[in-house]
Every structure is written in C-alpha cells, then in structure tokens.
Amino acid sequence: MCAAGLFAEDLLQDGYRRDRAVLAHVAAHPGATPRQTARSLGAAEKVVARSLSRLTDDGLLERCEEGPASEPRSYRLAG
C-alpha cells in the first residue's frame, strides 16, 4: 500500500471516530445543538455539522422540530 493510501485510511478513521463521538454526545444530551456538541468535543462547529448531517442521513439521528423556528436546530437519536 502506498503512503497516500495510508493517509486516506487515517482520515477515514478520524471521520468515523468523530461521528461516533458526536453520536455518543447526542445520545447523552438529547436536543444538543451543533454548537453545544462542538464545544463539548473540542471540535470545529463546521466539522460537527458535517457529522450530524451524515448521521441524520444514515437514520441514526433526527432533527428536533419542536419549539419556535428561531431556536437553533438540535438533534436526538432517531426513534
């Protein structure tokens, strides 16, 4: 395997670890916003938002739609 393949594998593993950390945070804190999750994990909000989007697309999380539209979006485990 070439060095580029190893580097790509490391990036992929980092993404999986981040997604698992985001999922675990939301499981422990239903209704967490991307900003709250990012602060808790010490990650950039944009990076956490991508993880939240992937986890939502995969059906593991869902957006909380209750509350006024002016509130920041929040997430919980899909039920």
Side-chain angles (χ1 to χ4, degrees):
M1 180 178 282
C2 69
L6 291 174
F7 179 71
E9 183 69 22
D10 287 344
L11 289 177
L12 186 60
Q13 289 301 318
D14 284 345
Y16 287 145
R17 278 192 292 273
R18 185 175 306 107
D19 285 357
R20 284 193 310 259
V22 168
L23 184 62
H25 178 79
V26 173
H29 303 92
T33 65
R35 177 170 287 152
Q36 292 166 337
T37 304
R39 284 183 181 162
S40 176
L41 299 177
E45 191 172 343
K46 186 184 283 189
V47 172
V48 168
R50 283 194 298 263
S51 288
L52 289 166
S53 180
R54 275 193 302 272
L55 293 165
T56 301
D57 290 347
D58 290 345
L60 297 171
L61 295 179
E62 59 187 26
R63 286 178 65 169
C64 299
E65 299 296 337
E66 61 258 0
S70 61
E71 288 184 3
R73 66 184 176 269
S74 60
Y75 294 83
R76 64 178 173 224
L77 291 178

